[in-house]
Amino acid sequence: MDISAPLPPAAANPEPLVVAARGVLDTSGLGPIDRVPLIPEAARRRHHVFVPADRRFKAAARFLQALWREDRGLAMGTHVSRRELHRPRRLGSRISTAAGALGANFLHPDIVPVVTRALAYREPGAAYDIDRLKTNLLSSQPLAFNLFGPLAHDLQFATRFVTEFLPGTLTEVTDVLFEHSPGRGDPRFTADRTAYDVVLRGRDATGARGLICIEVKYSEPGHEPAPPPHPRHTHRSRTPPQACSWTSTPRH
């Protein structure tokens, strides 16, 4: 699939586009499936992706990534457990360091310079794990770039994406930022080191500046206990926009 191809023209009746999308994404014709397949242990071992702790979704996702890597002839990478630092393990859902250095963990060549720039100009305190980003096929860090890197490469494309998929928000995208915090530790914000995986920054129909903040997850189970509410977060969530000195102002 050519992810650099422009979006089709907007249509009053989206049904033909839905049918066309299903033809591309569902070649089996089985229709929506409400669960991922249960991959047999033997198959997971054969493709070097058997991890006993994996839940059903993560096991299926890891297996799929191994097939993707094999289809492209990419060398298998290794994983080092914190409990066995001296015993690296070959893992089918990772690519080699050499392949990662060439940008093989990203779906289109145009995404690679976006990643390079994001790393070179990363914000102080930005939490990047370079090894996971470049070699771990199952990590949400490269997923963020694979999903939104094409938008960062082409801001007109980003603007159209937002106006079609998030109508009523921004009418112009001026920046696509990764691992971004409006102000790490700044008391006007959350006063901590919270950051967003992706931020679409731009202006709305009135000319006021705005942000769309996105957290990207892939294989994380989502069952971890939530941390206790931070008093600063509670205070900020209840502060009226007009009381915030950092609220966006219209463009003149």
Side-chain angles (χ1 to χ4, degrees):
M1 184 186 303
D2 182 6
I3 65 170
S4 65
L7 289 172
N13 178 15
E15 186 60 28
L17 295 180
V18 173
V19 173
R22 286 175 181 164
V24 173
L25 301 175
D26 181 23
T27 55
S28 66
L30 294 176
I33 300 175
D34 62 358
R35 64 184 64 87
V36 297
L38 186 62
I39 310 298
E41 179 179 330
R44 292 160 64 191
R45 288 187 181 277
R46 187 164 60 250
H47 292 274
H48 303 279
V49 289
F50 178 69
V51 177
D54 280 353
R55 295 175 180 267
R56 180 169 178 161
F57 176 84
K58 191 168 187 176
R62 193 185 299 279
F63 185 79
L64 183 63
Q65 294 293 34
L67 297 182
W68 181 89
R69 178 189 56 76
E70 293 168 9
D71 285 346
R72 284 151 185 78
L74 297 173
M76 189 185 310
T78 59
H79 169 70
V80 178
S81 170
R82 294 177 182 176
R83 292 178 292 183
E84 297 180 298
L85 297 176
H86 62 289
R87 294 183 60 185
R89 172 195 172 186
R90 297 175 72 220
L91 192 60
S93 57
R94 282 184 176 259
I95 58 176
S96 67
T97 301
L102 295 175
N105 206 12
F106 305 106
L107 296 177
H108 193 277
D110 287 345
I111 300 173
V112 178
V114 173
V115 177
T116 301
R117 179 179 176 83
L119 292 177
Y121 291 94
R122 75 188 78 172
E123 298 171 7
Y128 281 108
D129 184 328
I130 306 301
D131 182 59
R132 288 177 62 85
L133 175 64
K134 293 189 175 183
T135 68
N136 189 340
L137 302 174
L138 206 60
S139 170
S140 59
Q141 282 197 343
L143 177 61
F145 283 98
N146 281 324
L147 287 174
F148 296 97
L151 275 61
H153 179 74
D154 184 347
L155 293 179
Q156 289 185 338
F157 179 42
T159 296
R160 184 173 175 194
F161 171 85
V162 169
T163 55
E164 291 196 16
F165 288 92
L166 299 169
T169 56
L170 303 178
T171 56
E172 178 190 12
V173 175
T174 57
D175 296 285
V176 178
L177 307 171
F178 298 89
E179 192 59 30
H180 173 67
S181 170
R184 283 180 175 82
D186 192 325
R188 295 176 300 167
F189 296 88
T190 58
D192 59 17
R193 305 187 72 80
T194 299
Y196 301 103
D197 292 335
V198 182
V199 171
L200 308 180
R201 189 164 62 185
R203 294 186 180 271
D204 65 15
T206 70
R209 294 180 296 173
L211 300 174
I212 298 174
C213 303
I214 301 166
E215 183 73 13
V216 179
K217 298 297 182 186
Y218 184 9
S219 61
E220 295 86 344
H223 300 301
E224 302 89 346
H230 192 288
R232 181 61 180 172
H233 297 178
T234 302
H235 170 73
R236 179 52 61 206
S237 68
R238 295 174 179 172
T239 303
Q242 61 270 23
C244 300
S245 61
W246 45 268
T247 301
S248 301
T249 55
R251 176 171 51 189
H252 298 290

